[in-house]
Amino acid sequence: MSHPHPELGPPPALAKGGVRVVALGGLGEVGRNMTVIEYDGRLLIVDCGVLFPDDHPGVDLILPDFEYIADRLDDIDGIVLTHGHEDHIGAVPYLLRMKRDIPLIGSQLTLALVEAKLKEHKITPLTLQVKEGQREQIGPFDCEFVAVNHSIPDALAVFIRTPGGNLLCTGDFKMDQLPLDKRITDLRAFARMGEEGVDLFLTDSTNADVPGFTTPERNILPAIETVFEKAQRRIIVACFSSHVHRVQQVLDTAYEFDRKVAMVGRSMVRNMTIAQELGYLKVPDGVLIDAKKLDQYRDDEVVLICTGSQGEPMAALSRMANRDHKIDVGPGDTILMASSLIPGNENAVYRVINGLMRLGADVVHKGNALVHVSGHASAGELLYCYNIVKPKNVMPIHGEWRHLVANGKLAEQTGVPAKNVVLAEDGVVVDLVDGKASIVGAVPCGYVYVDGSLVGTTDETMLKDRRILRDEGFVTIIVVRDAATGKIAAGPDIRTRGFAEDEQVFEKVLPKLEEALEEARRKGVTDSHQLQQIIRRTVGGYVGGKLRRRPMIIPMVIDA
């Protein structure tokens, strides 16, 4: 397997007749999926998603870095969206802000979900709706779309033919043989494309380190029914706002148990309304009610479906756990967390579970019941795909580094030469030339943060300061200086916030601080910034050495 070198420089010009692939997100992380494919000076983008922040205080979303394509927007022939999950469509509005007429290509449900999102941004997109089996010429890219099974309906893989080589990008997929919507991954199409020749196979890695086969969706129905049988009061189901299959199972089970269902949360209501209008969600008669009418029913007659299965702080379930929601969770309520843990979200999810259980609720989750199955192919399914497609080169995509490595090893086991398995990270440039894929350089590719209404203004330095404030608190030292003599007229006065120690502990450092300031005066130091640095060093050294703490220290020197 070829690995990216940390000292990779800018790539050379693309060889004539070659195909260039640059992932601007999705490699080394679960989310932010975006891949740029270039041929003959033209660009095709596959997916444009967001990453939900983990340890990024104040950050709402993390976007792909568009710098690589910022001055080439006119070269983009289209954005192919493989399916409607946020980690594949969430960044589309931010890219279209830069150029609104870039065509979006996707299935009916995918485009409906992204159009609803764009409406909030006041953008009317140029779209091309496609379905499995359809073939479209998008600039120099001859794209054929293939049905794949995933945890959202209407997911597609895309086979991209170019004179420089053929690429097959799976998007997110699995091989559920008994899917709820009866739409299986089209392995016959994969085989046909393998016969034609797949020069580069870009394949989902998220479950590559999980042995065997992903459990079919229908296998979780008994666990859902058990929850309904045992629940004493309300049932609150938390899942992704785009998980149509899971919502369908809950609606059908609620109908059987004569319960009413209310959707809670703006994104849940919006997405399920779209799915129902397009026929992807079949709502049994009389089951669905408005959340505002919940008071008209007994607690044991209702089911709530909400967001927050990943512990998102502003989602409905987290707010219920914090008693910051109009739904007051208590003893007898049953919470069904019908989703898997996205890597990095574990602490947030368990914090919500603990909060709900502290309120007396019974929480059913993947750790204690079969209430969710993954939407991604496990190792056994990926082996099948490699044997069917027989690709010449493989580039694992969509996953953390451990997932990419595991996927690459699976490819090798099926006979793909190790030198033809390309492991790349975000920003690494892979060229397919004369049937051989190789790493040729790297382009700038960092995190771009959405912080409220601001995009790209927050950086790592600011986030570091926020983490310090969150974890260590801050100490303010105010010194008033006589402008004429330079002597200290008042202070030092020390105040703390978010700092566990009593302010009296600073009495021991005050003499040292006064001595340091007097010595600076004798040496003729008059610059306020220099004095602030002296204060910061003196107090910081004391706090770090004696108290083993590293708060943010904010010195203020005022001339009077």
Side-chain angles (χ1 to χ4, degrees), residues 351-484:
R351 191 159 47 242
V352 170
I353 291 174
N354 287 328
L356 293 166
M357 295 185 73
R358 194 174 287 115
L359 296 174
D362 181 21
V363 182
V364 181
H365 55 92
K366 193 179 179 184
N368 58 24
L370 183 59
V371 292
H372 181 74
V373 296
S374 175
H376 303 270
S378 296
E381 292 153 271
L382 292 173
L383 288 171
Y384 262 87
C385 282
Y386 285 127
N387 284 328
I388 289 169
V389 174
K390 296 191 178 302
K392 295 175 185 174
N393 300 274
V394 170
M395 180 177 170
I397 57 172
H398 304 175
E400 296 180 353
W401 189 251
R402 61 193 169 96
H403 303 131
L404 304 179
V405 170
N407 201 355
K409 288 180 178 177
L410 293 174
E412 288 183 35
Q413 289 174 26
T414 61
V416 179
K419 60 184 175 60
N420 291 3
V421 177
V422 181
L423 292 184
E425 294 180 286
D426 293 342
V428 169
V429 180
V430 176
D431 281 0
L432 176 66
V433 180
D434 296 328
K436 177 69 175 73
S438 57
I439 291 171
V440 298
V443 297
C445 188
Y447 277 6
V448 176
Y449 301 109
V450 178
D451 189 344
S453 61
L454 302 175
V455 179
T457 56
T458 303
D459 57 18
E460 279 300 329
T461 301
M462 189 181 298
L463 290 177
K464 182 180 178 182
D465 288 345
R466 290 180 183 177
R467 292 186 191 106
I468 292 171
L469 287 169
R470 178 193 67 193
D471 298 335
E472 301 284 351
F474 70 90
V475 177
T476 303
I477 305 102
I478 302 172
V479 174
V480 180
R481 182 176 59 170
D482 188 314

Side-chain angles (χ1 to χ4, degrees), residues 486-497:
K487 291 185 177 182
I488 302 303
D493 184 24
I494 298 179
R495 293 285 182 266
T496 67
R497 287 291 183 274

Side-chain angles (χ1 to χ4, degrees), residues 257-295:
F257 284 82
D258 200 23
R259 282 183 180 249
K260 304 298 182 183
V261 178
M263 306 284 182
V264 178
R266 188 167 56 91
S267 61
M268 180 67 73
V269 172
R270 181 192 67 199
N271 290 351
M272 291 307 132
T273 300
I274 292 170
Q276 183 181 0
E277 289 174 350
L278 296 179
Y280 295 97
L281 185 69
K282 308 288 193 302
V283 180
D285 290 340
V287 167
L288 207 57
I289 62 171
D290 192 316
K292 296 176 183 177
K293 297 181 180 179
L294 284 171
D295 292 342

Side-chain angles (χ1 to χ4, degrees), residues 106-107 129-135 145-147 154 156 183:
S107 65
Q129 183 177 307
V130 295
K131 59 183 179 181
E132 56 264 31
Q134 191 166 334
R135 191 166 169 175
F145 299 92
V146 184
D154 245 6
L156 295 169
R183 184 176 178 272

Side-chain angles (χ1 to χ4, degrees), residues 141-193:
F141 307 97
D142 179 356
C143 297
E144 183 175 346
F145 299 92
V146 184
V148 292
N149 179 244
H150 187 39
S151 55
I152 187 173
D154 245 6
L156 295 169
V158 56
F159 186 47
I160 305 168
R161 298 176 176 89
T162 76
N166 298 333
L167 296 79
L168 176 55
C169 181
T170 65
D172 287 353
F173 85 110
K174 60 179 176 177
M175 289 163 52
D176 191 337
Q177 298 304 300
L178 299 168
L180 297 176
D181 61 1
K182 298 181 172 56
R183 184 176 178 272
I184 63 172
T185 294
D186 191 351
L187 296 179
R188 293 182 300 173
F190 276 18
R192 174 170 51 81
M193 291 161 184

